[in-house]
Amino acid sequence: MYNVLKIVLIGIGATLTVDIWIYVLGLFNIKSLDYRFVGRWIGNFPKGKFFHQNIIATEPVKGELVIGWIAHYVIGINFAFFLFLFCGKEWIQNPQIYSAVFWGILTVVAPLFIMQPAFGFGIASSNLSKPNIRRIKSLLTHLIYGIGLYIAAFLVKQF
């Protein structure tokens, strides 16, 4: 149970690191994903709708922004849990940056090959303008998530 709490804290910390990154990008007018669209996507699951022509044009769902933010953190925690499954409790006791960064980069598979196609954006943003820039932004965001995993694990280890 103690490891579960650590994993949750690490996942929250890593996800918060991403949010700080996105905030800093926003200071330079660099836009990121609006989590309301994640909420809209998930909010349509009970209706059996998993794929959209364009999630932006899909009718809004009540509470989609809250749903999106909660999902964002739940996903971050789940990614941390899978890192724990692959690396074991030893990693929490002695976090290694290379495995955290590797895992963070690996998690970019989810948005590129699951979420973006489901949103109607195509595989790896192929249906959007400037797809290579969007791919690089996704990769950098997930790299930041990996760095956040390491920082959060290092901090959790101190307590």
Side-chain angles (χ1 to χ4, degrees), residues 78-147:
N78 279 304
F79 283 159
F81 177 73
F82 282 108
L83 173 64
F84 173 77
L85 284 180
F86 288 113
C87 295
K89 67 180 177 182
E90 298 79 26
W91 187 84
I92 291 177
Q93 295 164 351
N94 187 24
Q96 302 294 313
I97 192 160
Y98 62 87
S99 53
V101 168
F102 174 77
W103 184 251
I105 291 170
L106 190 61
T107 64
V108 79
V109 169
L112 294 180
F113 297 101
I114 298 171
M115 291 179 74
Q116 290 173 7
F119 286 9
F121 298 165
I123 293 173
S125 296
S126 60
N127 293 346
L128 299 176
S129 65
K130 302 178 184 176
N132 287 334
I133 290 173
R134 294 172 189 273
R135 293 169 188 145
I136 291 168
K137 283 173 52 178
S138 290
L139 185 61
L140 287 173
T141 299
H142 286 258
L143 170 67
I144 296 297
Y145 174 78
I147 292 168

Coordinates of all heavy atoms in Angstrom, one line a residue, residues 78-147:
N78 N -1.4 6.6 -14.0 CA -1.3 5.3 -14.6 C 0.0 5.0 -15.3 O 0.6 3.9 -15.2 CB -2.5 5.0 -15.5 CG -3.7 4.6 -14.8 OD1 -3.7 3.7 -14.0 ND2 -4.8 5.4 -15.0
F79 N 0.5 6.0 -16.0 CA 1.8 5.9 -16.7 C 2.9 5.6 -15.6 O 3.8 4.8 -15.8 CB 2.2 7.1 -17.5 CG 1.5 7.2 -18.8 CD1 1.4 8.5 -19.4 CD2 0.9 6.1 -19.5 CE1 0.7 8.6 -20.7 CE2 0.3 6.2 -20.7 CZ 0.2 7.5 -21.3
A80 N 2.8 6.3 -14.5 CA 3.8 6.1 -13.4 C 3.7 4.7 -12.8 O 4.7 4.0 -12.5 CB 3.6 7.1 -12.3
F81 N 2.4 4.2 -12.7 CA 2.2 2.8 -12.3 C 2.9 1.8 -13.2 O 3.5 0.9 -12.7 CB 0.7 2.5 -12.2 CG 0.4 1.1 -11.7 CD1 0.6 0.7 -10.4 CD2 -0.1 0.2 -12.7 CE1 0.3 -0.6 -10.1 CE2 -0.4 -1.1 -12.3 CZ -0.2 -1.5 -11.0
F82 N 2.8 2.0 -14.5 CA 3.4 1.1 -15.5 C 4.9 1.2 -15.4 O 5.6 0.1 -15.6 CB 2.9 1.3 -16.9 CG 1.5 0.7 -17.1 CD1 0.4 1.6 -17.2 CD2 1.3 -0.6 -17.1 CE1 -0.9 1.0 -17.4 CE2 0.0 -1.2 -17.3 CZ -1.1 -0.4 -17.4
L83 N 5.4 2.3 -15.1 CA 6.9 2.4 -14.9 C 7.3 1.6 -13.7 O 8.3 0.9 -13.8 CB 7.3 3.9 -14.7 CG 8.8 4.1 -14.3 CD1 9.7 3.7 -15.4 CD2 9.0 5.6 -14.0
F84 N 6.5 1.7 -12.7 CA 6.8 0.9 -11.5 C 6.7 -0.6 -11.8 O 7.5 -1.4 -11.4 CB 5.8 1.2 -10.4 CG 5.8 0.3 -9.2 CD1 6.8 0.5 -8.2 CD2 4.9 -0.7 -9.0 CE1 6.9 -0.3 -7.1 CE2 4.9 -1.5 -7.9 CZ 5.9 -1.3 -6.9
L85 N 5.7 -1.0 -12.6 CA 5.6 -2.5 -13.0 C 6.8 -2.9 -13.8 O 7.3 -4.1 -13.6 CB 4.3 -2.7 -13.9 CG 3.0 -2.7 -13.2 CD1 1.9 -2.9 -14.2 CD2 3.0 -3.8 -12.1
F86 N 7.3 -2.1 -14.6 CA 8.5 -2.5 -15.4 C 9.8 -2.4 -14.7 O 10.7 -3.3 -14.9 CB 8.6 -1.7 -16.7 CG 7.5 -2.1 -17.7 CD1 6.5 -1.2 -18.0 CD2 7.5 -3.3 -18.3 CE1 5.5 -1.5 -19.0 CE2 6.5 -3.7 -19.2 CZ 5.5 -2.7 -19.6
C87 N 9.9 -1.4 -13.8 CA 11.2 -1.2 -13.1 C 11.2 -1.7 -11.7 O 12.3 -1.9 -11.1 CB 11.6 0.3 -13.1 SG 11.9 0.9 -14.8
G88 N 10.1 -2.0 -11.1 CA 10.0 -2.5 -9.8 C 10.2 -1.5 -8.7 O 10.5 -0.3 -8.9
K89 N 10.0 -1.9 -7.4 CA 10.1 -1.0 -6.3 C 11.5 -0.5 -6.1 O 11.7 0.5 -5.5 CB 9.6 -1.7 -5.0 CG 10.4 -2.8 -4.5 CD 9.8 -3.4 -3.3 CE 10.6 -4.6 -2.8 NZ 10.0 -5.2 -1.6
E90 N 12.5 -1.2 -6.7 CA 13.8 -0.7 -6.6 C 14.0 0.7 -7.2 O 14.8 1.5 -6.8 CB 14.8 -1.7 -7.3 CG 14.9 -3.0 -6.6 CD 13.7 -3.9 -7.0 OE1 13.1 -3.7 -8.1 OE2 13.3 -4.8 -6.2
W91 N 13.2 0.9 -8.3 CA 13.3 2.2 -9.0 C 12.8 3.3 -8.0 O 13.4 4.4 -8.0 CB 12.5 2.2 -10.3 CG 12.7 3.4 -11.1 CD1 13.7 3.7 -11.9 CD2 12.0 4.7 -11.0 NE1 13.6 5.0 -12.4 CE2 12.6 5.6 -11.9 CE3 10.8 5.1 -10.3 CZ2 12.1 6.9 -12.1 CZ3 10.3 6.4 -10.5 CH2 11.0 7.2 -11.4
I92 N 11.7 3.1 -7.3 CA 11.2 4.1 -6.4 C 12.3 4.4 -5.3 O 12.5 5.5 -4.9 CB 9.9 3.7 -5.7 CG1 8.8 3.7 -6.8 CG2 9.5 4.6 -4.6 CD1 7.5 3.2 -6.3
Q93 N 13.0 3.3 -4.8 CA 14.0 3.5 -3.8 C 15.3 4.1 -4.3 O 16.0 4.8 -3.6 CB 14.3 2.1 -3.2 CG 13.1 1.5 -2.5 CD 13.3 0.0 -2.2 OE1 14.2 -0.6 -2.7 NE2 12.4 -0.5 -1.4
N94 N 15.5 3.9 -5.6 CA 16.7 4.5 -6.2 C 16.4 4.9 -7.7 O 16.8 4.3 -8.6 CB 17.9 3.5 -6.2 CG 19.2 4.1 -6.7 OD1 19.4 5.3 -6.6 ND2 20.0 3.2 -7.2
P95 N 15.6 6.0 -7.8 CA 15.2 6.4 -9.2 C 16.4 6.8 -10.1 O 17.4 7.4 -9.7 CB 14.3 7.7 -8.9 CG 14.6 8.1 -7.5 CD 15.2 7.0 -6.8
Q96 N 16.2 6.3 -11.3 CA 17.3 6.6 -12.3 C 16.6 7.5 -13.4 O 15.6 7.2 -13.9 CB 17.7 5.3 -13.0 CG 18.3 4.3 -11.9 CD 19.6 4.8 -11.3 OE1 20.5 5.3 -12.0 NE2 19.7 4.7 -10.0
I97 N 17.3 8.5 -13.8 CA 16.8 9.5 -14.7 C 16.6 8.8 -16.1 O 15.7 9.1 -16.8 CB 17.6 10.8 -14.8 CG1 16.8 11.8 -15.6 CG2 19.0 10.6 -15.3 CD1 17.1 13.3 -15.3
Y98 N 17.6 8.0 -16.5 CA 17.5 7.4 -17.9 C 16.2 6.6 -18.0 O 15.6 6.6 -19.1 CB 18.8 6.7 -18.2 CG 19.0 5.5 -17.4 CD1 18.5 4.2 -17.7 CD2 19.9 5.5 -16.2 CE1 18.7 3.1 -16.9 CE2 20.1 4.4 -15.4 CZ 19.5 3.2 -15.8 OH 19.8 2.1 -15.0
S99 N 15.9 5.8 -17.0 CA 14.7 5.0 -17.2 C 13.4 5.9 -17.2 O 12.4 5.6 -17.9 CB 14.6 3.9 -16.1 OG 14.7 4.4 -14.9
A100 N 13.4 6.9 -16.4 CA 12.3 7.8 -16.3 C 12.1 8.6 -17.6 O 11.0 8.7 -18.1 CB 12.5 8.8 -15.1
V101 N 13.2 9.1 -18.2 CA 13.1 9.8 -19.4 C 12.7 8.9 -20.6 O 11.9 9.2 -21.4 CB 14.5 10.5 -19.7 CG1 14.5 11.0 -21.2 CG2 14.6 11.7 -18.8
F102 N 13.3 7.7 -20.6 CA 12.9 6.7 -21.6 C 11.4 6.4 -21.5 O 10.7 6.4 -22.5 CB 13.7 5.4 -21.4 CG 13.3 4.3 -22.3 CD1 13.7 4.3 -23.7 CD2 12.5 3.2 -21.9 CE1 13.3 3.3 -24.5 CE2 12.1 2.2 -22.7 CZ 12.4 2.3 -24.1
W103 N 10.9 6.2 -20.3 CA 9.5 5.9 -20.1 C 8.7 7.1 -20.6 O 7.6 6.9 -21.2 CB 9.2 5.5 -18.7 CG 7.8 5.1 -18.5 CD1 6.8 5.8 -17.9 CD2 7.2 3.9 -19.1 NE1 5.6 5.1 -18.0 CE2 5.8 4.0 -18.7 CE3 7.6 2.8 -19.8 CZ2 4.9 3.0 -19.1 CZ3 6.7 1.9 -20.2 CH2 5.4 1.9 -19.8
G104 N 9.1 8.3 -20.2 CA 8.3 9.4 -20.6 C 8.2 9.6 -22.1 O 7.1 9.8 -22.6
I105 N 9.3 9.3 -22.8 CA 9.3 9.4 -24.2 C 8.4 8.3 -24.8 O 7.7 8.5 -25.8 CB 10.7 9.3 -24.8 CG1 11.5 10.6 -24.4 CG2 10.7 9.1 -26.3 CD1 13.0 10.6 -24.7
L106 N 8.5 7.1 -24.2 CA 7.7 6.0 -24.7 C 6.2 6.3 -24.6 O 5.4 5.9 -25.4 CB 8.0 4.7 -23.9 CG 7.5 3.4 -24.4 CD1 7.9 3.2 -25.9 CD2 7.9 2.3 -23.5
T107 N 5.8 7.1 -23.6 CA 4.3 7.4 -23.4 C 3.8 8.2 -24.5 O 2.5 8.4 -24.6 CB 4.1 8.0 -22.0 OG1 4.7 9.3 -21.9 CG2 4.5 7.1 -20.9
V108 N 4.6 8.8 -25.3 CA 4.1 9.6 -26.4 C 3.3 8.8 -27.4 O 2.5 9.3 -28.2 CB 5.2 10.4 -27.1 CG1 6.0 9.6 -28.1 CG2 4.7 11.7 -27.8
V109 N 3.5 7.5 -27.4 CA 2.7 6.6 -28.2 C 1.2 6.8 -28.0 O 0.4 6.8 -29.0 CB 3.1 5.1 -28.0 CG1 2.1 4.2 -28.6 CG2 4.5 4.9 -28.4
A110 N 0.8 7.0 -26.8 CA -0.7 7.2 -26.5 C -1.3 8.3 -27.2 O -2.3 8.1 -27.9 CB -0.9 7.3 -24.9
P111 N -0.8 9.6 -27.1 CA -1.5 10.6 -27.9 C -1.3 10.5 -29.4 O -2.3 10.8 -30.1 CB -0.8 11.9 -27.3 CG 0.5 11.5 -26.8 CD 0.3 10.1 -26.3
L112 N -0.1 10.1 -29.8 CA 0.1 10.0 -31.3 C -0.7 9.0 -32.0 O -1.2 9.2 -33.1 CB 1.6 9.8 -31.6 CG 2.5 10.9 -31.2 CD1 4.0 10.6 -31.5 CD2 2.2 12.3 -31.8
F113 N -0.9 7.8 -31.3 CA -1.5 6.7 -32.0 C -2.9 6.3 -31.4 O -3.5 5.4 -32.0 CB -0.6 5.5 -32.0 CG 0.7 5.8 -32.8 CD1 1.9 6.1 -32.1 CD2 0.7 5.8 -34.2 CE1 3.0 6.4 -32.8 CE2 1.9 6.1 -34.9 CZ 3.0 6.4 -34.2
I114 N -3.3 6.9 -30.3 CA -4.6 6.6 -29.8 C -5.5 7.8 -29.8 O -6.5 7.9 -30.4 CB -4.5 6.0 -28.4 CG1 -3.7 4.6 -28.4 CG2 -5.9 5.8 -27.8 CD1 -3.4 4.1 -27.1
M115 N -5.1 8.8 -29.0 CA -5.9 10.0 -28.8 C -6.1 10.8 -30.1 O -7.2 11.2 -30.4 CB -5.4 10.9 -27.7 CG -5.5 10.2 -26.3 SD -4.9 11.1 -25.0 CE -6.2 12.4 -24.8
Q116 N -5.0 11.2 -30.7 CA -5.1 12.0 -31.9 C -5.9 11.4 -33.0 O -6.8 12.1 -33.6 CB -3.7 12.5 -32.4 CG -3.0 13.4 -31.4 CD -1.6 13.7 -31.8 OE1 -1.1 13.3 -32.8 NE2 -0.9 14.4 -30.9
P117 N -5.8 10.1 -33.3 CA -6.7 9.5 -34.3 C -8.1 9.5 -33.8 O -9.0 9.8 -34.6 CB -6.1 8.1 -34.5 CG -4.7 8.2 -34.1 CD -4.6 9.2 -33.0
A118 N -8.3 9.2 -32.5 CA -9.7 9.2 -32.0 C -10.3 10.6 -32.0 O -11.6 10.7 -32.2 CB -9.7 8.7 -30.6
F119 N -9.5 11.6 -31.9 CA -10.0 13.0 -32.0 C -10.3 13.4 -33.4 O -10.9 14.5 -33.7 CB -9.0 14.0 -31.4 CG -8.9 14.0 -29.9 CD1 -9.5 13.0 -29.1 CD2 -8.1 14.9 -29.3 CE1 -9.4 13.0 -27.7 CE2 -8.0 15.0 -27.9 CZ -8.6 14.0 -27.1
G120 N -9.9 12.6 -34.4 CA -10.1 13.0 -35.8 C -8.9 13.8 -36.4 O -8.9 14.3 -37.5
F121 N -7.8 13.8 -35.6 CA -6.6 14.5 -36.0 C -5.7 13.7 -36.9 O -4.7 14.2 -37.4 CB -5.9 15.1 -34.8 CG -6.6 16.0 -33.9 CD1 -6.2 16.3 -32.7 CD2 -7.8 16.7 -34.4 CE1 -6.9 17.2 -31.8 CE2 -8.5 17.5 -33.6 CZ -8.0 17.8 -32.3
G122 N -5.9 12.4 -37.0 CA -5.1 11.5 -37.8 C -4.0 11.0 -36.9 O -3.7 11.4 -35.8
I123 N -3.3 9.9 -37.4 CA -2.2 9.3 -36.7 C -1.1 10.4 -36.6 O -0.7 11.0 -37.6 CB -1.7 8.1 -37.4 CG1 -2.7 7.0 -37.3 CG2 -0.4 7.6 -36.8 CD1 -2.4 5.7 -38.1
A124 N -0.6 10.6 -35.4 CA 0.5 11.6 -35.2 C 0.2 13.0 -35.8 O 1.0 13.6 -36.4 CB 1.8 11.0 -35.7
S125 N -1.1 13.4 -35.7 CA -1.5 14.8 -36.1 C -1.4 14.9 -37.6 O -1.4 16.0 -38.2 CB -0.7 15.9 -35.5 OG -0.9 15.9 -34.1
S126 N -1.5 13.8 -38.4 CA -1.3 13.9 -39.8 C -2.4 14.6 -40.5 O -2.2 15.1 -41.7 CB -1.2 12.5 -40.4 OG -2.4 11.7 -40.1
N127 N -3.6 14.8 -39.9 CA -4.7 15.6 -40.5 C -4.7 17.0 -40.2 O -5.5 17.8 -40.6 CB -6.0 15.0 -40.1 CG -6.2 13.6 -40.7 OD1 -5.5 13.1 -41.6 ND2 -7.2 12.9 -40.1
L128 N -3.7 17.5 -39.4 CA -3.6 18.9 -38.9 C -2.5 19.6 -39.7 O -1.6 19.0 -40.2 CB -3.4 18.9 -37.4 CG -4.5 18.3 -36.5 CD1 -4.1 18.3 -35.1 CD2 -5.8 19.0 -36.7
S129 N -2.6 20.9 -39.6 CA -1.5 21.7 -40.2 C -0.3 21.6 -39.3 O -0.3 21.4 -38.1 CB -1.9 23.2 -40.2 OG -2.1 23.7 -38.9
K130 N 0.9 21.7 -40.0 CA 2.2 21.6 -39.3 C 2.3 20.3 -38.4 O 2.6 20.5 -37.2 CB 2.5 22.8 -38.6 CG 2.5 24.1 -39.4 CD 2.7 25.3 -38.6 CE 2.6 26.5 -39.4 NZ 2.8 27.8 -38.7
P131 N 2.0 19.1 -39.0 CA 2.1 17.9 -38.1 C 3.4 17.7 -37.5 O 3.5 17.2 -36.3 CB 1.7 16.8 -39.1 CG 1.9 17.3 -40.4 CD 1.8 18.8 -40.4
N132 N 4.5 18.0 -38.2 CA 5.8 17.8 -37.6 C 6.1 18.6 -36.3 O 6.7 18.1 -35.3 CB 7.0 18.0 -38.6 CG 7.0 16.8 -39.6 OD1 6.6 15.7 -39.3 ND2 7.5 17.1 -40.8
I133 N 5.6 19.8 -36.4 CA 5.8 20.7 -35.2 C 4.9 20.1 -34.0 O 5.4 20.1 -32.9 CB 5.4 22.2 -35.5 CG1 6.4 22.8 -36.4 CG2 5.2 23.0 -34.2 CD1 6.1 24.1 -37.0
R134 N 3.7 19.7 -34.3 CA 2.9 19.1 -33.3 C 3.5 17.8 -32.7 O 3.4 17.6 -31.5 CB 1.5 18.8 -33.9 CG 0.8 20.1 -34.3 CD -0.5 19.8 -35.0 NE -1.1 20.9 -35.6 CZ -2.0 21.7 -34.9 NH1 -2.3 21.4 -33.7 NH2 -2.5 22.8 -35.5
R135 N 4.1 17.0 -33.6 CA 4.8 15.8 -33.1 C 6.0 16.1 -32.2 O 6.1 15.5 -31.2 CB 5.3 15.0 -34.3 CG 4.2 14.4 -35.2 CD 4.7 13.9 -36.5 NE 3.5 13.5 -37.3 CZ 3.5 13.6 -38.6 NH1 4.5 14.1 -39.3 NH2 2.4 13.3 -39.3
I136 N 6.7 17.1 -32.6 CA 7.9 17.5 -31.7 C 7.4 18.1 -30.4 O 7.9 17.7 -29.3 CB 8.7 18.6 -32.5 CG1 9.5 17.9 -33.6 CG2 9.7 19.3 -31.5 CD1 10.1 18.9 -34.6
K137 N 6.3 18.9 -30.4 CA 5.7 19.4 -29.2 C 5.3 18.2 -28.3 O 5.5 18.2 -27.1 CB 4.6 20.3 -29.5 CG 5.0 21.7 -29.9 CD 3.9 22.6 -30.3 CE 2.8 22.7 -29.4 NZ 1.7 23.6 -29.8
S138 N 4.6 17.2 -28.9 CA 4.2 16.0 -28.1 C 5.4 15.3 -27.5 O 5.4 14.9 -26.3 CB 3.4 15.1 -29.0 OG 2.1 15.6 -29.3
L139 N 6.4 15.1 -28.3 CA 7.6 14.4 -27.8 C 8.2 15.2 -26.7 O 8.6 14.6 -25.7 CB 8.6 14.2 -29.0 CG 9.8 13.4 -28.7 CD1 9.4 12.0 -28.3 CD2 10.7 13.4 -29.9
L140 N 8.4 16.5 -26.9 CA 9.0 17.3 -25.8 C 8.1 17.3 -24.5 O 8.7 17.2 -23.4 CB 9.2 18.8 -26.2 CG 10.3 19.0 -27.2 CD1 10.2 20.4 -27.7 CD2 11.6 18.7 -26.6
T141 N 6.8 17.3 -24.7 CA 5.9 17.3 -23.5 C 6.1 15.9 -22.7 O 6.2 15.9 -21.5 CB 4.5 17.5 -23.9 OG1 4.4 18.8 -24.5 CG2 3.5 17.3 -22.7
H142 N 6.3 14.9 -23.5 CA 6.4 13.6 -22.8 C 7.8 13.4 -22.3 O 8.0 12.7 -21.3 CB 6.0 12.5 -23.7 CG 4.5 12.4 -23.8 ND1 3.7 11.5 -23.2 CD2 3.6 13.2 -24.5 CE1 2.4 11.7 -23.4 NE2 2.3 12.8 -24.2
L143 N 8.8 14.0 -22.9 CA 10.2 14.1 -22.3 C 10.1 14.8 -21.0 O 10.7 14.4 -20.0 CB 11.1 14.8 -23.3 CG 12.5 15.1 -22.7 CD1 13.3 13.9 -22.4 CD2 13.2 16.0 -23.7
I144 N 9.4 15.9 -20.9 CA 9.2 16.7 -19.7 C 8.5 15.8 -18.7 O 8.9 15.8 -17.5 CB 8.4 18.0 -19.9 CG1 9.2 18.9 -20.8 CG2 8.1 18.7 -18.6 CD1 10.6 19.4 -20.3
Y145 N 7.5 15.0 -19.1 CA 6.9 14.1 -18.2 C 7.9 13.1 -17.6 O 7.9 12.9 -16.4 CB 5.7 13.3 -18.9 CG 5.1 12.3 -18.0 CD1 4.2 12.6 -17.0 CD2 5.4 10.9 -18.2 CE1 3.6 11.6 -16.2 CE2 4.9 10.0 -17.4 CZ 4.0 10.3 -16.4 OH 3.4 9.3 -15.6
G146 N 8.8 12.6 -18.4 CA 9.8 11.7 -17.9 C 10.7 12.4 -16.9 O 11.1 11.8 -15.9
I147 N 11.1 13.6 -17.2 CA 11.9 14.3 -16.2 C 11.2 14.5 -14.9 O 11.7 14.4 -13.8 CB 12.4 15.7 -16.9 CG1 13.4 15.4 -18.0 CG2 13.0 16.6 -15.8 CD1 13.7 16.6 -18.9

